[in-house]
Structures are given as C-alpha cells and as structure tokens.
Amino acid sequence: MQELKENSTIINEINIKKSRFICLLQKVTSEKAALAFIKANQQLSATHNCYAYIIGKNQNIIRKYDDGEPTNTAGKPILDILLHYHLTNVVCLVIRYFGGIKLGAGGLIRAYANSVKMNLKNRELVPYLETIEITMQFPISKIKIVDEYLNYHYQIIQITKTFNAPISYTFRLATTEIPALRLWANNHAIKVTLFEHKDS
C-alpha cells in the first residue's frame, strides 16, 4: 500500500479534442476530509466534476462518482488508476469542461484514466503508514523546545495550534513513531493524548 508524500494539492491539466480535464489529487485521512476537498474544489461552471477516493489501511472506504457522464466512464477509470498504484488515503477530483466534440464511452474512459496517470507521473509515493491523532499540551514556557523537537523530527506534519492555556498542538503521526514521542514528552513533563480513532 502506498500514499502520496505531498500534503499539498497536486494539479495537472490535459486537453483532449477541445475538452479540458483538470485533475486534482490530495492526501486525506478520512472520508469527511475527502468530501470537504471535493466540495471546496469542484467548479460549478464545469460540465462535470467526477471523483474517486480511497481511505483506510485496508482501503476500507472506496467511492466513485460519474457526475452525469455515462455510467462507469469517469469515476471508475479514476478509481482504477488509484487502485493500480495501490494508493490509499487519497482523493482525486477530475473537472471536465466539454469542448464540443463527443469522445464516446471508450474515449471518456481513456481520457479520465490518462488525466490521473499524467498527474501521478513523477509524483513521489511513499509506503503507507497507519497514523493516529495526537494532542500535546504544555505551558507557554515550553513552546520553544516543543517547536524545535517537532520541526527537527517531523517536518512534514500539519499541526493545528491553540494558544489558550495550556497550549495545545494537534496532529497526526505514524503509530510507529508514538513510543519515541511519548518518551520525549514524559522526560519534559508534556502531556500527550492519543485519540482512539485511527485512520478510517
């Protein structure tokens, strides 16, 4: 199983017989996040907003949507490419602006599949690691050592910070990293809370 290394949205566009296919890929860790990404990025002026997403350590949640294209000519080819790459925790939205020339069922399948393939080309994929949500709480006097530790060891994580007393940092971390983090936190009298809901 693999996942995207990048946390930011990956965008690519191809043009086939005057139709524009804009492909957006995003790393997500829940179905809620996947649906929020689709809602935020779909273009209502487009002819179609088709998508597929896969969530969970065993690809537990798999969804696809054709948005008015003939059945299984959009969502399924998008999904098939994601599955071909053994991806999980990913959402893919392909936005189509119709250019006036019909592609036929086979042409649509190839177009949507190629849109995703081209976007995944040369993207760095990494082995999937199960993650869990963590909250760290600490007084403001320890913010410097916490920031230094997290920046040094976990540069790519996204942290939600709350600066009430005590300060609270919430982020996701691979379960294999938890023992080392807990040991460091205990040595510095920093409270670490693990949430039971792991990857969906």
Side-chain angles (χ1 to χ4, degrees), residues 17-19 96-102:
K17 293 186 178 179
K18 299 185 179 180
S19 279
R96 181 191 182 194
Y97 284 91
F98 180 53
I101 301 173
K102 292 186 177 181

Side-chain angles (χ1 to χ4, degrees), residues 29 71 137 146 158 162 164:
T29 55
T71 303
Q137 292 182 319
V146 172
Q158 295 179 317
T162 304
N164 299 331

Side-chain angles (χ1 to χ4, degrees), residues 100-171:
I101 301 173
K102 292 186 177 181
L103 302 181
L108 284 172
I109 290 168
R110 287 189 295 273
Y112 280 100
N114 286 334
S115 176
V116 185
K117 277 184 194 174
M118 291 299 292
N119 206 2
L120 282 169
K121 189 178 180 181
N122 301 324
R123 304 299 181 187
E124 189 169 357
L125 305 178
V126 294
Y128 164 75
L129 292 173
E130 185 179 19
T131 62
I132 190 167
E133 190 172 284
I134 295 168
T135 293
M136 297 178 69
Q137 292 182 319
F138 49 89
I140 194 166
S141 60
K142 295 187 177 181
I143 192 168
K144 184 179 178 183
I145 63 166
V146 172
D147 283 343
E148 287 176 351
Y149 179 82
L150 293 179
N151 288 336
Y152 181 78
H153 290 279
Y154 313 112
Q155 297 96 331
I156 64 169
I157 61 173
Q158 295 179 317
I159 303 173
T160 301
K161 300 180 179 182
T162 304
F163 293 100
N164 299 331
I167 290 172
S168 175
Y169 283 11
T170 299
F171 52 92

Side-chain angles (χ1 to χ4, degrees), residues 27-56:
K27 185 176 181 177
V28 290
T29 55
S30 68
E31 185 170 28
K32 181 180 179 182
L35 292 170
F37 174 82
I38 293 162
K39 184 176 181 181
N41 290 278
Q42 64 185 341
Q43 297 181 15
L44 299 181
S45 60
T47 318
H48 304 281
N49 288 274
C50 307
Y51 62 80
Y53 56 84
I54 306 171
I55 309 292

